[in-house]
Amino acid sequence: MLLRGLTWLVLFQLLGTALNHLFLPVLPGPIVGLLLLLVYLICRGQVGEPLNLAASSLLRYLPLLLVPPAVGVMVYAADIAADFWAIVGALVLSLLLSMAFAGVLMHRMVKGHAHSEDSQ
């Protein structure tokens, strides 16, 4: 069961990498594969047991992915300090844009949900 779910994850990553090399050189292949997996799961309407088992097994090791960025911050601390205000500005701007987008999206979803309840 676990092997089947891991196979699905690897296949979507390989498909994303293939599409990356053929059509979308701007986006990384694993990101394209992740978006394809998202579309597949939305169309299917549920997450199958093998995929759920594989994803939950890999989720245990997610903190290990934070070690290389932490090492990079330590190694390039002087460069980061030199561009500190630009980094802070970019983070604040992206935070504000993300919160505004999430607010607009939530407002539309609540309005659509209320409209569907009124029609029933």
Side-chain angles (χ1 to χ4, degrees):
M1 194 79 105
L2 177 65
L3 186 59
R4 186 179 298 159
L6 288 173
T7 304
W8 275 107
L9 291 174
V10 170
L11 282 175
F12 274 105
Q13 182 178 358
L14 287 174
L15 183 61
T17 303
L19 289 174
N20 167 268
H21 286 296
L22 293 174
F23 303 112
L24 298 168
V26 176
L27 291 174
I31 300 297
V32 175
L34 188 66
L35 291 173
L36 290 173
L37 178 63
L38 176 67
V39 169
Y40 169 74
L41 291 175
I42 288 173
C43 290
R44 188 164 182 224
Q46 66 176 353
V47 179
E49 182 65 29
L51 197 58
N52 190 17
L53 180 64
S56 62
S57 298
L58 288 174
L59 222 72
R60 278 185 278 173
Y61 303 107
L62 187 63
L64 291 177
L65 295 176
L66 300 176
V67 172
V71 171
V73 166
M74 298 306 238
V75 170
Y76 295 106
D79 295 335
I80 292 172
D83 294 326
F84 179 76
W85 291 112
I87 293 170
V88 168
L91 288 173
V92 168
L93 182 64
S94 66
L95 173 73
L96 292 175
L97 288 173
S98 299
M99 288 180 68
F101 177 74
V104 168
L105 184 63
M106 189 66 182
H107 178 69
R108 287 188 180 179
M109 289 177 67
V110 167
K111 196 163 87 173
H113 184 68
H115 178 68
S116 67
E117 283 184 356
D118 289 342
S119 63
Q120 289 179 355

